[in-house]
Amino acid sequence: MHRFTGKVAFITGAASGIGRAAALAFAREGAQVAITDRTEAALDQLRAEIEAASGEVLAIRCDVSVPEDVEAAVAKTTERFGRIDCAFNNAGVENKAAPVHEITLDEWDRILDINLRGTFVCMKHEIAQMLRQGGGVLVNTSSGAGIRGVAGGASYAASKHALIGLTKSAALDYAKANIRVNAVLPGNIETPMMDRFTGGDIQKAIDLEPVGRLGKPEEIAEAVLWMCSDLGAFVTGAAISVDGGWSL
Protein backbone atom coordinates (compact mmCIF):
# COMPACT_ATOMS: atom_id res chain seq x y z
CA MET A 1 0.00 0.00 0.00
CA HIS A 2 1.30 3.45 -0.94
CA ARG A 3 -0.95 5.89 0.93
CA PHE A 4 0.99 8.97 -0.15
CA THR A 5 1.73 8.44 -3.83
CA GLY A 6 1.53 11.82 -5.51
CA LYS A 7 1.76 13.65 -2.17
CA VAL A 8 4.53 15.89 -0.83
CA ALA A 9 5.67 15.70 2.81
CA PHE A 10 7.71 18.46 4.47
CA ILE A 11 9.49 17.45 7.69
CA THR A 12 11.51 19.53 10.15
CA GLY A 13 13.96 17.97 12.58
CA ALA A 14 14.32 15.13 10.10
CA ALA A 15 17.94 14.12 10.61
CA SER A 16 17.40 11.88 13.65
CA GLY A 17 14.88 10.21 15.91
CA ILE A 18 11.19 10.68 15.21
CA GLY A 19 11.73 13.00 12.25
CA ARG A 20 14.02 10.51 10.56
CA ALA A 21 11.56 7.67 11.08
CA ALA A 22 8.75 9.80 9.65
CA ALA A 23 10.79 10.75 6.58
CA LEU A 24 11.56 7.09 5.84
CA ALA A 25 7.91 6.13 6.40
CA PHE A 26 6.53 8.85 4.12
CA ALA A 27 9.04 7.90 1.41
CA ARG A 28 8.18 4.21 1.76
CA GLU A 29 4.51 5.10 1.33
CA GLY A 30 5.22 6.87 -1.94
CA ALA A 31 5.52 10.53 -0.91
CA GLN A 32 8.00 13.00 -2.32
CA VAL A 33 9.83 14.12 0.80
CA ALA A 34 11.48 17.40 1.78
CA ILE A 35 13.71 16.82 4.81
CA THR A 36 15.09 19.72 6.84
CA ASP A 37 17.42 19.94 9.83
CA ARG A 38 20.36 21.91 11.22
CA THR A 39 22.67 18.90 11.04
CA GLU A 40 23.84 18.62 7.44
CA ALA A 41 25.90 15.41 7.71
CA ALA A 42 23.02 13.38 9.16
CA LEU A 43 20.61 15.01 6.70
CA ASP A 44 22.80 13.97 3.78
CA GLN A 45 22.97 10.42 5.12
CA LEU A 46 19.17 10.26 5.30
CA ARG A 47 18.84 11.70 1.79
CA ALA A 48 21.17 9.00 0.46
CA GLU A 49 19.19 6.29 2.27
CA ILE A 50 15.88 7.46 0.78
CA GLU A 51 17.39 7.76 -2.70
CA ALA A 52 18.88 4.26 -2.42
CA ALA A 53 15.34 2.98 -1.87
CA SER A 54 14.21 4.83 -5.03
CA GLY A 55 12.51 7.62 -3.11
CA GLU A 56 12.35 11.22 -4.29
CA VAL A 57 13.83 13.54 -1.70
CA LEU A 58 15.02 17.11 -1.22
CA ALA A 59 17.40 17.85 1.68
CA ILE A 60 17.50 21.41 3.00
CA ARG A 61 19.56 22.79 5.85
CA CYS A 62 17.13 24.75 8.02
CA ASP A 63 17.24 26.15 11.56
CA VAL A 64 13.60 26.74 12.52
CA SER A 65 14.65 29.47 14.97
CA VAL A 66 15.77 31.51 11.93
CA PRO A 67 12.63 32.70 10.07
CA GLU A 68 14.54 33.27 6.85
CA ASP A 69 15.64 29.61 6.85
CA VAL A 70 12.06 28.45 7.22
CA GLU A 71 10.71 30.70 4.47
CA ALA A 72 13.48 29.55 2.12
CA ALA A 73 12.91 25.87 2.94
CA VAL A 74 9.17 26.08 2.17
CA ALA A 75 9.92 28.00 -1.04
CA LYS A 76 12.52 25.44 -2.19
CA THR A 77 10.09 22.61 -1.50
CA THR A 78 7.30 24.15 -3.54
CA GLU A 79 9.72 25.08 -6.33
CA ARG A 80 10.88 21.45 -6.52
CA PHE A 81 7.62 19.58 -5.93
CA GLY A 82 4.91 22.18 -6.59
CA ARG A 83 3.04 21.80 -3.29
CA ILE A 84 3.12 20.67 0.34
CA ASP A 85 0.40 18.18 1.27
CA CYS A 86 1.70 17.08 4.68
CA ALA A 87 3.84 19.16 7.04
CA PHE A 88 5.34 17.47 10.08
CA ASN A 89 6.70 20.19 12.38
CA ASN A 90 8.95 18.07 14.51
CA ALA A 91 12.08 20.15 15.21
CA GLY A 92 12.61 20.65 18.91
CA VAL A 93 15.15 20.60 21.72
CA GLU A 94 15.17 19.58 25.37
CA ASN A 95 15.93 21.96 28.22
CA LYS A 96 18.79 21.93 30.69
CA ALA A 97 17.17 20.61 33.88
CA ALA A 98 16.65 23.35 36.44
CA PRO A 99 13.91 24.65 38.78
CA VAL A 100 12.14 27.79 37.60
CA HIS A 101 14.15 30.31 39.66
CA GLU A 102 17.40 28.99 38.18
CA ILE A 103 16.35 29.11 34.50
CA THR A 104 18.24 31.87 32.71
CA LEU A 105 16.47 34.13 30.23
CA ASP A 106 18.83 32.92 27.51
CA GLU A 107 17.89 29.30 28.19
CA TRP A 108 14.17 30.13 28.31
CA ASP A 109 14.43 31.99 24.99
CA ARG A 110 16.42 29.15 23.39
CA ILE A 111 13.75 26.57 24.16
CA LEU A 112 10.81 28.78 23.17
CA ASP A 113 12.53 30.07 20.01
CA ILE A 114 12.95 26.55 18.64
CA ASN A 115 10.06 24.59 20.07
CA LEU A 116 7.28 27.19 19.89
CA ARG A 117 8.28 30.18 17.77
CA GLY A 118 9.99 27.92 15.23
CA THR A 119 6.86 25.80 14.84
CA PHE A 120 4.70 28.92 14.52
CA VAL A 121 6.91 30.29 11.73
CA CYS A 122 6.81 26.93 9.94
CA MET A 123 3.03 26.87 10.18
CA LYS A 124 2.70 30.42 8.81
CA HIS A 125 4.53 29.53 5.61
CA GLU A 126 3.13 26.01 5.26
CA ILE A 127 -0.45 27.19 5.70
CA ALA A 128 0.02 30.03 3.23
CA GLN A 129 1.09 27.45 0.64
CA MET A 130 -1.76 25.10 1.54
CA LEU A 131 -4.28 27.92 1.12
CA ARG A 132 -2.90 28.56 -2.38
CA GLN A 133 -3.19 24.91 -3.35
CA GLY A 134 -6.54 24.20 -1.70
CA GLY A 135 -5.72 22.19 1.39
CA GLY A 136 -3.26 20.11 3.38
CA VAL A 137 -2.45 18.60 6.76
CA LEU A 138 -0.11 19.75 9.52
CA VAL A 139 1.08 17.69 12.50
CA ASN A 140 3.05 19.37 15.29
CA THR A 141 5.22 17.45 17.74
CA SER A 142 4.17 18.33 21.27
CA SER A 143 4.88 15.88 24.12
CA GLY A 144 3.44 14.18 27.13
CA ALA A 145 5.02 17.23 28.78
CA GLY A 146 2.39 19.24 26.92
CA ILE A 147 -0.36 17.94 29.22
CA ARG A 148 1.43 17.46 32.55
CA GLY A 149 4.12 19.17 34.60
CA VAL A 150 7.78 18.13 34.53
CA ALA A 151 9.99 18.87 37.54
CA GLY A 152 13.06 20.72 36.30
CA GLY A 153 11.52 21.12 32.86
CA ALA A 154 9.37 24.24 33.01
CA SER A 155 10.64 25.78 29.77
CA TYR A 156 10.20 22.57 27.81
CA ALA A 157 6.75 21.88 29.29
CA ALA A 158 5.66 25.47 28.66
CA SER A 159 6.69 25.23 25.00
CA LYS A 160 4.88 21.92 24.53
CA HIS A 161 1.72 23.06 26.34
CA ALA A 162 1.68 26.15 24.12
CA LEU A 163 2.02 24.04 20.99
CA ILE A 164 -1.25 22.32 21.81
CA GLY A 165 -3.02 25.67 22.14
CA LEU A 166 -1.48 26.79 18.85
CA THR A 167 -2.56 23.55 17.17
CA LYS A 168 -6.16 23.77 18.38
CA SER A 169 -6.51 27.43 17.44
CA ALA A 170 -5.09 26.89 13.96
CA ALA A 171 -7.41 23.93 13.47
CA LEU A 172 -10.37 26.25 14.03
CA ASP A 173 -8.91 28.99 11.82
CA TYR A 174 -8.64 26.69 8.79
CA ALA A 175 -11.31 24.04 9.34
CA LYS A 176 -13.33 25.32 6.38
CA ALA A 177 -10.25 25.72 4.16
CA ASN A 178 -9.59 21.95 3.89
CA ILE A 179 -6.56 22.27 6.19
CA ARG A 180 -6.33 19.98 9.19
CA VAL A 181 -3.98 20.67 12.11
CA ASN A 182 -3.17 18.09 14.81
CA ALA A 183 -0.49 17.35 17.37
CA VAL A 184 1.27 14.15 18.35
CA LEU A 185 2.39 13.74 21.98
CA PRO A 186 5.23 11.23 22.24
CA GLY A 187 6.23 9.71 25.55
CA ASN A 188 9.71 8.38 26.29
CA ILE A 189 11.11 7.32 22.91
CA GLU A 190 14.38 5.69 21.85
CA THR A 191 16.00 8.81 20.38
CA PRO A 192 19.26 10.78 20.74
CA MET A 193 17.28 13.38 22.70
CA MET A 194 16.32 10.74 25.25
CA ASP A 195 19.97 9.68 25.53
CA ARG A 196 20.93 13.27 26.30
CA PHE A 197 18.04 13.81 28.69
CA THR A 198 18.88 10.74 30.79
CA GLY A 199 22.63 11.14 30.58
CA GLY A 200 22.77 7.69 29.04
CA ASP A 201 20.84 6.02 31.90
CA ILE A 202 17.90 4.87 29.76
CA GLN A 203 16.51 2.73 32.60
CA LYS A 204 15.38 5.96 34.29
CA ALA A 205 13.09 6.64 31.33
CA ILE A 206 11.91 3.03 31.09
CA ASP A 207 10.90 3.13 34.76
CA LEU A 208 8.52 6.01 33.97
CA GLU A 209 6.64 4.01 31.34
CA PRO A 210 3.64 1.96 32.54
CA VAL A 211 4.17 -0.47 29.64
CA GLY A 212 7.74 -1.12 30.81
CA ARG A 213 9.62 -0.09 27.68
CA LEU A 214 10.54 2.92 25.60
CA GLY A 215 8.60 3.73 22.46
CA LYS A 216 10.18 3.43 19.05
CA PRO A 217 10.46 6.39 16.66
CA GLU A 218 8.65 4.30 14.06
CA GLU A 219 5.62 4.04 16.36
CA ILE A 220 5.33 7.83 16.48
CA ALA A 221 5.85 8.03 12.72
CA GLU A 222 2.94 5.66 12.11
CA ALA A 223 0.64 7.86 14.18
CA VAL A 224 1.76 10.91 12.20
CA LEU A 225 1.14 9.17 8.88
CA TRP A 226 -2.32 8.12 10.01
CA MET A 227 -3.19 11.70 10.93
CA CYS A 228 -1.94 12.88 7.53
CA SER A 229 -3.74 10.14 5.58
CA ASP A 230 -7.30 9.95 4.32
CA LEU A 231 -8.05 7.60 7.24
CA GLY A 232 -7.65 10.60 9.55
CA ALA A 233 -9.76 12.92 7.42
CA PHE A 234 -12.25 13.72 10.21
CA VAL A 235 -9.54 14.50 12.77
CA THR A 236 -8.48 18.09 13.38
CA GLY A 237 -7.47 19.97 16.52
CA ALA A 238 -6.56 16.69 18.21
CA ALA A 239 -3.63 16.17 20.57
CA ILE A 240 -2.96 12.45 20.35
CA SER A 241 -0.81 10.78 23.01
CA VAL A 242 1.47 7.97 21.84
CA ASP A 243 3.27 7.37 25.09
CA GLY A 244 2.72 3.92 26.57
CA GLY A 245 0.55 5.46 29.27
CA TRP A 246 3.24 7.85 30.58
CA SER A 247 0.93 10.88 30.66
CA LEU A 248 -1.58 9.00 32.80
Side-chain angles (χ1 to χ4, degrees), residues 189-238:
I189 311 299
E190 293 177 3
T191 64
M193 180 184 288
M194 185 56 60
D195 288 338
R196 294 191 300 270
F197 183 74
T198 62
D201 185 2
I202 294 299
Q203 190 60 46
K204 290 193 300 186
I206 294 173
D207 291 343
L208 295 172
E209 284 290 349
V211 297
R213 69 170 177 88
L214 297 184
K216 300 180 184 303
E218 293 79 10
E219 291 172 312
I220 309 304
E222 285 302 322
V224 171
L225 264 66
W226 178 81
M227 282 186 269
C228 289
S229 75
D230 291 341
L231 295 175
F234 201 54
V235 179
T236 194

